[in-house]
Amino acid sequence: QMPRGNLETVHHRALVLAQIRKWLNSCLYREAFECMRKLRINLNLLYDHNPQAFLDNVDLFVRQIDSVNYINLFLTEIKEEDVTTTMYPTHSASSVPSAQKSGAKKVDIICDVMRAAMEKLNPQKYCLSILTSYVRKTAPELETALQKVHELRESPPSPDAVSAEEALKYLLFLVDVNELYDHSLGTYDFDLVIMVAEKSQKDPKEYLPFLNKLKKMETNYQRYTIDKHLKRYKKALEHLSKCGPEHFIEFLNFVKDQNLYTEALKLHPVGSSEYKAINDVYGEHLYSRQHFEQAGLAFARCGSLEKALDAFVACSSWQHIVSIASQLKYSEDKMAALARSVSGKLREQRKYESAAVLLEQYAKDYEEAIILLIEGGLWEDCLRLIYKYNRPDIIETNVKPGIIEAKKNYMTFLEMQKVTFIRYKERLSVVRDLKEKARQGLLDDEIPGGLESDLFSDTSSVMTTSDMSGRYSHSNSRISSRSSKNRRKAERKKYSLKEGSPLEDVALLEALREIVRTVDTMRSDVNSLLKVLVLFLYDTDARELQQMYQEFLQLMEVSIQDIWVPCAPPNATLPVLGPHSTANSIMTSYQQQRNLKTAEQETEPFIAPKLSKTIQWKLDLLD
Amino acid sequence: QMPRGNLETVHHRALVLAQIRKWLNSCLYREAFECMRKLRINLNLLYDHNPQAFLDNVDLFVRQIDSVNYINLFLTEIKEEDVTTTMYPTHSASSVPSAQKSGAKKVDIICDVMRAAMEKLNPQKYCLSILTSYVRKTAPELETALQKVHELRESPPSPDAVSAEEALKYLLFLVDVNELYDHSLGTYDFDLVIMVAEKSQKDPKEYLPFLNKLKKMETNYQRYTIDKHLKRYKKALEHLSKCGPEHFIEFLNFVKDQNLYTEALKLHPVGSSEYKAINDVYGEHLYSRQHFEQAGLAFARCGSLEKALDAFVACSSWQHIVSIASQLKYSEDKMAALARSVSGKLREQRKYESAAVLLEQYAKDYEEAIILLIEGGLWEDCLRLIYKYNRPDIIETNVKPGIIEAKKNYMTFLEMQKVTFIRYKERLSVVRDLKEKARQGLLDDEIPGGLESDLFSDTSSVMTTSDMSGRYSHSNSRISSRSSKNRRKAERKKYSLKEGSPLEDVALLEALREIVRTVDTMRSDVNSLLKVLVLFLYDTDARELQQMYQEFLQLMEVSIQDIWVPCAPPNATLPVLGPHSTANSIMTSYQQQRNLKTAEQETEPFIAPKLSKTIQWKLDLLD
């Protein structure tokens, strides 16, 4: 008989729902409620049917229902779910706008308006329902509920009102006793705590000593202890900060233990001694996490200059280093030694300009500074120092050989890049042809397979970018910093340049793009080398370099249109410039592309790189 | 009767051409030639029919034709045109590969092989045809032809050979006499000149005194004079450079007059006194053309230090300026004044770092240097100098107010950019909706027009980027340099932001892209400002700025996917990652796009900008 009964119910329910909707539209809440309760219709419908109407008539609702039990039932059954779309969908487009503005949750909205209505009508009568409305909130307001119970005990409003005892029992029925105990502790109200504790299964020998100990404490320290016990560390910190200087050591330890440095800083006036002490421990924390620069700042803020210096040295923040060393009144010798050591580190990081400033101005070692600038290819700075310190001899001994060396390195580098560029470009055209043939072959059903293996048959070997750029890392000029960057970049590549790999063409596009980018960004470096070559009368070398670079740039410019498809707005069959079509093509592709989001990062190799044609690097002098 | 005759000829020709082709295929050149001559078939066909066969059988061809006149006729009629594709196309796919390799021209190839064949067979007999083969070259070798004539006169090979007289007459029939005279002069052979001159209409009273004057000159100077007369300036310069130091003034003037500086430099050994003098005049030329930096280099190369200094000052090349001033042994006062003035210019160009180095190290004005660094927002450098020169007082008087001012400027700038960003973004969505509606309207044929005017009806006004960024140009911090760049950029914009303009959506995309780019590149500047705010305990300000910037970056990141369509490889309907499809989709779109090249520059606004997420700008300290 079950199936038959079920079918009956289903059929029945459609009619019932129609009736309930009628009642709700006429604000006959009592009728609707009774019917829904009997036939187990989800009570959320009372609200979901027309949220705005419910909110407008909540007083009427409470008055009609007129039952603490019913209201508790309703509040307990409320969920975020909208049953008009899930359980009881209607096909008539009622389109009642949702009342949920400002991101507030349905449950919270209902609890709050119901409570307000009940408080207005009869707070004593609806006492338990009001408690329910606190407990049911998405973030249950247990403290407030407990406070209500406490009020009942302190000043019972009338003999027929709900007793504190009853209210607490009801709360314990809704909420786990341990949770309620913790929250009662969180009100810092010991009467309340004991009231709850008595209702619990807890052993008074356990909680009474603890409560007695707490009672003896100074208020802020007491609250800190409770918060800490409840793991409310931020609140605990706040209370502890009010306990005065005698607890400051404990405060600092607590900050360290709980990693609450930024919160701690906010609790003390900027510039106070406590503020400084917190910065100091924060600095140590940041240092241990290897956030050296921020550690340095934290130490510097609190005047821990030695520690700040250590931290700044660890991250080679050279300006801070010498600033702090000056504040520490370093002797000239000590400063020179420091500058020399930091300069060495900066040199390793190829920060030649800063390294040279340190040597020149803090170690007073002009010669070494000049040699560093030569190593870094910073010719103009290097000449400036040579003439500033009247050391023209260095021009013959170091600058000229340095220039010639740099020019050779540039030539070799450009030559290698060019060879690779041409090889990749040719290989790309081979791969494209093969794939096109394979496609046609598959379409014609003539060549059933084996064409893919043709991709392996071409024996011209393709070096990977990382192989190639690795060769230059011995050089000291600017090029090597670039090529070591390339190497790191190459290691991140997603596609394989290995012959016959399925996306070899994409890998080739990527590699070609990288070469174009690298060579294109050399414009100003080449220009600066050309100028110094010309200044020292190395016209032939300069002309060679200018021609080599010029030809390579031209080769790239001509090749770009063969290698890269111009990336028009997708859906390029629509005219691009018509007044309507642009928005349409965007819209269309937009919708098409939504699901292709993962393809987004794959597009970069397909976009033609742009040459920085506006940068003037050539010297007319050499034409 | 004309039309009828014409028709006959046309019909006839098809048959004739078939016969000629047969003859040519059988190497029956004489038959083919006679027939073509009679029926006025273009003689180029002899070669074009099968270039390789012609080249292989050129000896046979000459022997069969066996007539100087015929060969001259043939050589005179040869043109670059391929008559098998233009005048006498054949439909049978003969597909004879063209013999024109290595870019050599057809005319030149034929002239050269014909001459070689004739020289081998009978140079005396074919004398005139050989001359023709020189004259007919695309760059006529008139000197060589004249030389041949000269040889005939000097040593007539045999009595029955063509006389020099005859040969010259023939040449004059082919080439204009004045041109021939000039070329004879260009051989520097006066006998030849007089021989040609005698045949011309020239008055001996005119040319003889000139020739006599030339004859008296030293060989190189004579050749220089001739070259100059013939306007062959580069050759003239070369000969003049060999005339010794007494002609060097003339050389320099000639270089200046003809603007042959780089050629002149190549003619003298690097470092010679002539080389230096050329650099000096070249420097003046470059200076007058406002190429100040290269002018400075040219002057510096030849030791004209004062002039070099002027030139470098004109382009604010500050390192060169102080280098040269040092070489000129400037007094401390003079150096300070120079440094101060250059520093002022650099400040105007917002090159604060260099400006400060000049003030610090060459004007010894530490205070001004520090104040410049504050103005430029270069906080770490500024603190370094403050401690280096022990001026902590400046921290209170200038640094702290400067930091607070900079923070305010950043906040205002970010706020304005954010407001504009949101306004543009909302307007973009409105424009897209309107265009979509307009499109659907047009498709449904319901709304015949007037929807376009809806684009004008929305009254929310959209400020242009240039209006907006103009507001910030009063500020001295780094922002203003950026916004003035924006303004210049905005002025270059191709699309109008005016409401209802046909490509308003593209203009909005461009403007939005520019805002994203600008705000994104502020990361390291914001970071550096945050650090100095924290260092001087302005935690609240720092936190405000960090939060503001953070929220804006998040807003942009979330908005980018709504604003920009991911730019997938065109033809996105094919699977992007399949092993074959990538190459295919590239190929397909490649062919589609070839004719859409003009659309290439329009694509930029459609490509989503990328945020530099790898740059760490946030301070944990402020969280």
Side-chain angles (χ1 to χ4, degrees):
Chain A
Q1 281 195 341
M2 276 295 284
R4 184 163 152 272
N6 266 352
L7 278 172
E8 255 183 7
T9 313
V10 170
H11 186 66
H12 193 194
R13 184 178 281 175
L15 296 174
V16 168
L17 283 174
Q19 181 57 46
I20 289 170
R21 286 195 190 97
K22 267 187 211 160
W23 280 325
L24 287 177
N25 288 338
S26 325
C27 291
L28 295 169
Y29 293 114
R30 179 81 196 185
E31 285 78 356
F33 195 97
E34 291 279 12
C35 169
M36 288 164 86
R37 200 181 66 88
K38 263 183 217 141
L39 297 170
R40 295 178 184 269
I41 305 290
N42 190 304
L43 295 178
N44 279 282
L45 188 61
L46 290 167
Y47 174 85
D48 293 338
H49 173 65
N50 186 343
Q52 196 51 53
F54 180 88
L55 293 177
D56 292 344
N57 297 295
V58 68
D59 280 13
L60 187 64
F61 177 79
V62 173
R63 261 186 277 126
Q64 285 191 16
I65 304 295
D66 192 38
S67 149
V68 174
N69 281 342
Y70 278 15
I71 290 177
N72 287 348
L73 192 64
F74 172 63
L75 288 176
T76 320
E77 210 167 313
I78 287 300
K79 276 180 200 158
E80 274 316 302
E81 188 183 338
D82 177 0
V83 294
T84 60
T85 60
T86 55
M87 298 171 79
Y88 315 119
T90 48
H91 291 291
S92 59
S94 57
S95 78
V96 180
S98 166
Q100 286 166 250
K101 314 145 202 161
S102 71
K105 296 205 166 164
K106 170 181 156 187
V107 172
D108 293 338
I109 292 169
I110 294 173
C111 286
D112 289 342
V113 296
M114 288 289 288
R115 187 187 324 113
M118 294 184 291
E119 297 269 18
K120 201 170 70 185
L121 286 170
N122 192 343
Q124 283 159 35
K125 175 178 172 190
Y126 293 115
C127 179
L128 296 184
S129 298
I130 290 171
L131 290 181
T132 314
S133 79
Y134 283 120
V135 171
R136 284 292 298 150
K137 287 197 74 168
T138 46
E141 297 177 21
L142 296 183
E143 279 90 348
T144 327
L146 282 166
Q147 208 56 52
K148 286 263 165 199
V149 176
H150 188 58
E151 277 164 26
L152 285 179
R153 158 173 287 191
E154 294 298 298
S155 50
S158 67
D160 57 332
V162 178
S163 71
E165 198 75 1
E166 279 176 283
L168 189 57
K169 250 189 185 165
Y170 179 69
L171 266 187
L172 284 167
F173 159 74
L174 290 176
V175 190
D176 174 71
V177 66
N178 288 315
E179 202 182 329
L180 209 60
Y181 174 78
D182 282 350
H183 277 88
S184 68
L185 208 50
T187 62
Y188 316 118
D189 179 335
F190 291 102
D191 294 345
L192 204 59
V193 178
I194 288 169
M195 195 179 85
V196 176
E198 280 168 349
K199 290 286 154 208
S200 75
Q201 308 289 322
K202 284 180 187 281
D203 181 356
K205 280 182 196 149
E206 263 180 45
Y207 63 83
L208 279 178
F210 177 61
L211 291 180
N212 287 330
K213 215 174 83 190
L214 282 175
K215 275 183 187 166
K216 282 179 209 143
M217 290 176 182
E218 183 270 329
T219 315
N220 279 314
Y221 196 76
Q222 180 195 71
R223 296 190 166 184
Y224 152 70
T225 314
I226 291 171
D227 292 332
K228 195 174 148 188
H229 176 78
L230 297 177
K231 297 194 173 31
R232 305 194 297 198
Y233 297 119
K234 286 192 192 183
K235 233 175 176 177
L237 192 72
E238 227 174 303
H239 286 124
L240 184 54
S241 75
K242 291 176 191 153
C243 296
E246 67 273 25
H247 287 287
F248 190 66
I249 300 293
E250 189 173 1
F251 179 85
L252 275 188
N253 286 329
F254 188 64
V255 165
K256 283 195 261 184
D257 286 349
Q258 300 302 333
N259 194 358
L260 290 170
Y261 301 96
T262 52
E263 289 78 6
L265 284 174
K266 288 178 204 161
L267 294 174
H268 290 276
V270 167
S272 64
S273 65
E274 288 87 358
Y275 187 82
K276 288 183 177 172
I278 298 163
N279 271 308
D280 205 46
V281 293
Y282 192 19
E284 272 157 21
H285 171 72
L286 288 165
Y287 193 97
S288 72
R289 292 278 203 93
Q290 304 204 302
H291 294 173
F292 298 120
E293 196 178 21
Q294 292 193 58
L297 289 173
F299 286 133
R301 279 150 63 97
C302 63
S304 298
L305 295 182
E306 275 92 354
K307 288 186 192 168
L309 187 61
D310 271 359
F312 286 130
V313 165
C315 58
S316 305
S317 286
W318 69 279
Q319 289 141 315
H320 283 306
I321 292 170
V322 291
S323 294
I324 287 181
S326 304
Q327 285 172 269
L328 286 170
K329 313 275 178 229
Y330 263 39
S331 70
E332 232 170 82
D333 283 357
K334 221 172 152 193
M335 182 66 102
L338 178 65
R340 212 173 271 283
S341 118
V342 176
S343 169
K345 275 206 204 174
L346 292 173
R347 181 183 161 185
E348 281 167 28
Q349 299 165 23
R350 300 182 190 281
K351 292 176 182 163
Y352 293 106
E353 203 175 344
S354 314
V357 172
L358 279 174
L359 286 184
E360 181 209 347
Q361 297 189 31
Y362 294 88
K364 314 276 181 204
D365 187 340
Y366 314 127
E367 193 168 326
E368 273 304 310
I370 292 165
I371 286 167
L372 258 188
L373 291 170
I374 296 173
E375 191 180 314
L378 299 160
W379 310 108
E380 296 185 355
D381 274 317
C382 139
L383 290 174
R384 181 173 72 80
L385 290 198
I386 283 176
Y387 291 114
K388 189 177 179 199
Y389 298 107
N390 198 19
R391 290 293 307 272
D393 56 304
I394 299 180
I395 293 181
E396 295 303 325
T397 56
N398 296 71
V399 178
K400 288 187 176 178
I403 298 171
I404 291 304
E405 170 80 13
K407 181 249 168 183
K408 272 190 211 147
N409 289 341
Y410 271 75
M411 292 295 284
T412 320
F413 182 76
L414 286 172
E415 186 56 45
M416 284 299 297
Q417 293 278 313
K418 195 171 171 183
V419 167
T420 314
F421 183 82
I422 293 170
R423 199 191 303 120
Y424 285 176
K425 188 187 155 195
E426 283 167 0
R427 176 66 191 162
L428 180 65
S429 134
V430 169
V431 174
R432 282 177 173 169
D433 281 357
L434 287 172
K435 286 202 173 180
E436 182 57 17
K437 273 184 207 156
R439 191 183 66 91
Q440 287 174 350
L442 291 175
L443 289 179
D444 299 350
D445 273 345
E446 277 172 4
I447 306 145
L451 254 167
E452 188 71 7
S453 61
D454 271 12
L455 290 170
F456 295 89
S457 69
D458 191 302
T459 47
S460 75
S461 76
V462 173
M463 269 201 301
T464 66
T465 315
S466 57
D467 284 350
M468 183 192 70
S469 52
R471 292 201 187 168
Y472 292 89
S473 50
H474 67 274
S475 135
N476 281 328
S477 78
R478 287 194 189 182
I479 295 173
S480 54
S481 104
R482 191 177 291 119
S483 57
S484 74
K485 253 190 244 161
N486 288 358
R487 192 173 54 237
R488 282 195 301 278
K489 227 176 167 177
E491 281 156 8
R492 276 190 277 118
K493 293 272 180 265
K494 280 165 292 182
Y495 309 108
S496 163
L497 280 168
K498 224 184 100 196
E499 293 207 2
S501 87
L503 289 173
E504 188 188 345
D505 46 356
V506 186
L508 286 165
L509 280 176
E510 242 179 12
L512 284 163
R513 198 181 154 78
E514 183 57 27
I515 294 176
V516 171
R517 206 196 53 76
T518 305
V519 175
D520 188 52
T521 49
M522 286 170 72
R523 280 169 204 259
S524 66
D525 286 353
V526 169
N527 175 257
S528 117
L529 182 55
L530 285 176
K531 284 190 290 194
V532 73
L533 279 166
V534 158
L535 185 64
F536 290 111
L537 305 174
Y538 293 115
D539 290 24
T540 317
D541 290 285
R543 212 166 270 128
E544 229 175 84
L545 177 59
Q546 170 152 316
Q547 201 186 335
M548 170 80 176
Y549 190 56
Q550 166 96 328
E551 283 172 7
F552 196 0
L553 285 180
Q554 280 165 352
L555 169 69
M556 293 198 307
E557 198 179 334
V558 170
S559 306
I560 280 177
Q561 53 183 4
D562 291 334
I563 297 173
W564 282 277
V565 184
C567 177
N571 214 342
T573 44
L574 291 173
V576 180
L577 294 172
H580 293 303
S581 52
T582 308
N584 297 347
S585 58
I586 291 168
M587 292 293 288
T588 315
S589 357
Y590 187 55
Q591 284 144 11
Q592 285 177 354
Q593 295 292 323
R594 266 279 161 106
N595 305 325
L596 274 171
K597 270 288 154 62
T598 48
E600 196 174 354
Q601 58 267 51
E602 321 286 346
T603 61
E604 205 183 294
F606 298 97
I607 300 168
K610 270 190 186 173
L611 298 179
S612 342
K613 287 184 199 158
T614 48
I615 298 173
Q616 292 297 323
W617 64 272
K618 265 181 75 178
L619 297 187
D620 306 336
L621 239 141
L622 297 171
D623 268 344
Chain B
Q1 280 194 338
M2 277 296 283
R4 183 165 154 268
N6 266 354
L7 279 171
E8 254 183 5
T9 315
V10 171
H11 187 66
H12 193 192
R13 186 179 280 175
L15 297 175
V16 169
L17 285 174
Q19 180 56 43
I20 290 171
R21 286 194 189 98
K22 267 185 210 159
W23 279 327
L24 288 176
N25 288 339
S26 326
C27 293
L28 296 170
Y29 293 113
R30 178 82 197 186
E31 284 76 357
F33 194 96
E34 291 279 9
C35 169
M36 287 164 85
R37 199 181 65 88
K38 264 183 219 142
L39 298 171
R40 294 177 183 271
I41 304 290
N42 190 305
L43 295 178
N44 279 282
L45 187 62
L46 290 167
Y47 174 85
D48 293 339
H49 173 67
N50 186 342
Q52 196 51 55
F54 180 87
L55 294 176
D56 292 344
N57 296 294
V58 69
D59 280 12
L60 187 64
F61 176 79
V62 174
R63 261 186 277 123
Q64 283 190 14
I65 303 296
D66 193 36
S67 150
V68 174
N69 281 340
Y70 279 15
I71 290 177
N72 287 347
L73 191 66
F74 172 63
L75 289 177
T76 320
E77 210 167 312
I78 287 300
K79 278 180 199 154
E80 274 316 301
E81 186 184 340
D82 178 359
V83 295
T84 58
T85 60
T86 56
M87 299 171 79
Y88 316 119
T90 48
H91 291 290
S92 57
S94 56
S95 78
V96 179
S98 165
Q100 285 164 249
K101 318 143 200 159
S102 71
K105 296 204 165 164
K106 170 181 156 189
V107 173
D108 293 338
I109 293 169
I110 294 175
C111 285
D112 289 344
V113 296
M114 289 288 288
R115 187 186 325 113
M118 293 184 291
E119 296 267 18
K120 201 170 69 185
L121 288 170
N122 192 342
Q124 284 158 34
K125 177 179 168 187
Y126 292 114
C127 179
L128 296 184
S129 300
I130 290 170
L131 291 181
T132 313
S133 78
Y134 283 120
V135 171
R136 285 291 299 149
K137 289 197 73 169
T138 46
E141 298 177 21
L142 296 183
E143 279 89 348
T144 328
L146 282 165
Q147 208 56 53
K148 287 265 164 196
V149 176
H150 189 59
E151 278 165 24
L152 285 179
R153 160 174 285 193
E154 295 297 299
S155 50
S158 68
D160 58 329
V162 178
S163 72
E165 198 74 1
E166 278 175 285
L168 188 58
K169 251 188 185 163
Y170 178 70
L171 266 188
L172 283 167
F173 159 75
L174 289 176
V175 190
D176 173 70
V177 66
N178 287 317
E179 201 182 329
L180 209 59
Y181 175 78
D182 282 352
H183 278 87
S184 68
L185 208 51
T187 62
Y188 315 117
D189 179 335
F190 291 99
D191 295 345
L192 204 61
V193 177
I194 290 169
M195 196 179 85
V196 175
E198 281 168 351
K199 289 288 153 203
S200 77
Q201 308 288 323
K202 284 180 189 278
D203 181 356
K205 280 182 199 151
E206 264 181 42
Y207 63 82
L208 280 178
F210 177 63
L211 292 180
N212 287 330
K213 216 175 80 189
L214 283 174
K215 274 182 186 166
K216 283 178 209 145
M217 292 175 179
E218 184 269 327
T219 315
N220 279 314
Y221 195 76
Q222 182 196 71
R223 296 190 166 184
Y224 152 70
T225 313
I226 291 171
D227 290 332
K228 195 175 149 189
H229 176 78
L230 298 177
K231 297 194 169 35
R232 303 194 298 199
Y233 298 118
K234 287 193 189 178
K235 234 177 174 176
L237 191 74
E238 226 175 305
H239 286 124
L240 185 54
S241 76
K242 289 175 192 155
C243 295
E246 65 272 24
H247 288 286
F248 189 65
I249 302 293
E250 189 174 359
F251 179 86
L252 274 188
N253 287 327
F254 188 66
V255 166
K256 283 196 260 182
D257 287 347
Q258 300 302 332
N259 193 358
L260 290 169
Y261 300 96
T262 51
E263 289 78 7
L265 285 175
K266 289 178 202 160
L267 293 171
H268 289 276
V270 167
S272 64
S273 66
E274 288 85 1
Y275 187 83
K276 288 184 176 169
I278 299 164
N279 272 308
D280 205 44
V281 292
Y282 192 19
E284 273 157 20
H285 170 72
L286 288 165
Y287 192 96
S288 71
R289 294 279 203 92
Q290 305 204 299
H291 293 172
F292 299 119
E293 194 177 23
Q294 291 193 57
L297 290 173
F299 286 133
R301 278 150 65 96
C302 63
S304 299
L305 295 182
E306 275 92 356
K307 289 187 193 169
L309 187 58
D310 272 358
F312 285 132
V313 165
C315 58
S316 305
S317 285
W318 70 279
Q319 290 140 316
H320 282 307
I321 292 171
V322 291
S323 294
I324 288 182
S326 304
Q327 285 172 270
L328 286 169
K329 312 274 179 227
Y330 264 37
S331 70
E332 232 172 82
D333 284 355
K334 222 173 149 190
M335 183 65 103
L338 178 66
R340 213 172 270 283
S341 119
V342 176
S343 168
K345 275 205 204 175
L346 291 174
R347 181 184 160 184
E348 280 167 28
Q349 299 165 24
R350 300 182 191 281
K351 291 175 183 163
Y352 294 105
E353 202 175 344
S354 314
V357 172
L358 279 174
L359 286 184
E360 181 209 347
Q361 297 189 30
Y362 294 88
K364 314 275 180 204
D365 187 341
Y366 313 128
E367 193 168 328
E368 273 304 310
I370 292 165
I371 286 167
L372 259 187
L373 291 170
I374 295 172
E375 191 181 314
L378 299 160
W379 310 109
E380 295 185 355
D381 273 316
C382 140
L383 290 174
R384 181 173 71 82
L385 291 197
I386 283 175
Y387 292 114
K388 189 177 176 200
Y389 298 106
N390 199 19
R391 291 292 306 273
D393 55 306
I394 300 181
I395 292 181
E396 294 302 326
T397 56
N398 296 72
V399 178
K400 287 186 176 177
I403 297 171
I404 291 303
E405 169 79 14
K407 181 252 170 181
K408 271 190 210 147
N409 289 341
Y410 271 76
M411 292 296 284
T412 320
F413 182 76
L414 286 172
E415 186 56 44
M416 283 298 297
Q417 293 278 315
K418 195 172 170 182
V419 167
T420 314
F421 183 82
I422 293 170
R423 197 189 306 118
Y424 284 177
K425 188 187 156 193
E426 283 166 0
R427 175 69 190 160
L428 180 65
S429 135
V430 168
V431 174
R432 282 179 174 167
D433 280 357
L434 287 172
K435 286 201 172 183
E436 181 57 17
K437 273 184 206 153
R439 190 182 67 92
Q440 286 174 352
L442 290 174
L443 288 180
D444 298 352
D445 272 346
E446 277 172 4
I447 307 144
L451 253 166
E452 186 71 7
S453 61
D454 272 11
L455 290 171
F456 296 90
S457 67
D458 191 303
T459 47
S460 74
S461 77
V462 172
M463 270 202 298
T464 65
T465 314
S466 56
D467 286 349
M468 179 193 71
S469 51
R471 294 201 185 168
Y472 293 88
S473 50
H474 66 274
S475 136
N476 280 329
S477 78
R478 285 194 189 183
I479 295 174
S480 54
S481 103
R482 192 177 292 119
S483 57
S484 73
K485 252 189 245 160
N486 289 359
R487 193 173 54 234
R488 283 196 299 279
K489 229 176 166 176
E491 281 155 8
R492 276 190 277 116
K493 294 273 181 263
K494 280 164 292 181
Y495 309 108
S496 163
L497 280 168
K498 223 185 100 197
E499 292 208 0
S501 88
L503 291 172
E504 190 190 342
D505 48 355
V506 185
L508 286 166
L509 280 175
E510 241 179 13
L512 285 163
R513 198 181 155 79
E514 184 57 28
I515 295 175
V516 172
R517 206 196 53 77
T518 305
V519 175
D520 188 51
T521 50
M522 286 169 72
R523 279 168 204 258
S524 66
D525 287 353
V526 169
N527 175 256
S528 121
L529 182 55
L530 285 175
K531 283 190 290 194
V532 73
L533 279 167
V534 158
L535 185 63
F536 290 111
L537 306 174
Y538 294 113
D539 290 23
T540 318
D541 290 285
R543 214 167 268 128
E544 227 176 87
L545 177 61
Q546 171 152 315
Q547 201 186 337
M548 170 79 178
Y549 190 56
Q550 166 96 327
E551 282 172 7
F552 196 178
L553 285 180
Q554 280 165 352
L555 169 68
M556 293 197 307
E557 198 179 333
V558 171
S559 307
I560 280 176
Q561 54 183 3
D562 290 333
I563 297 173
W564 282 277
V565 184
C567 177
N571 212 342
T573 44
L574 290 173
V576 181
L577 294 172
H580 294 303
S581 52
T582 309
N584 298 345
S585 59
I586 291 167
M587 293 294 288
T588 315
S589 2
Y590 188 54
Q591 284 144 11
Q592 284 176 355
Q593 296 290 323
R594 264 280 159 106
N595 304 325
L596 275 172
K597 271 286 152 62
T598 49
E600 195 173 355
Q601 58 268 50
E602 322 286 346
T603 59
E604 207 183 293
F606 299 97
I607 301 166
K610 273 193 185 170
L611 298 180
S612 340
K613 288 186 201 159
T614 48
I615 298 173
Q616 293 296 323
W617 64 272
K618 266 182 73 177
L619 297 187
D620 305 338
L621 240 141
L622 297 171
D623 267 344

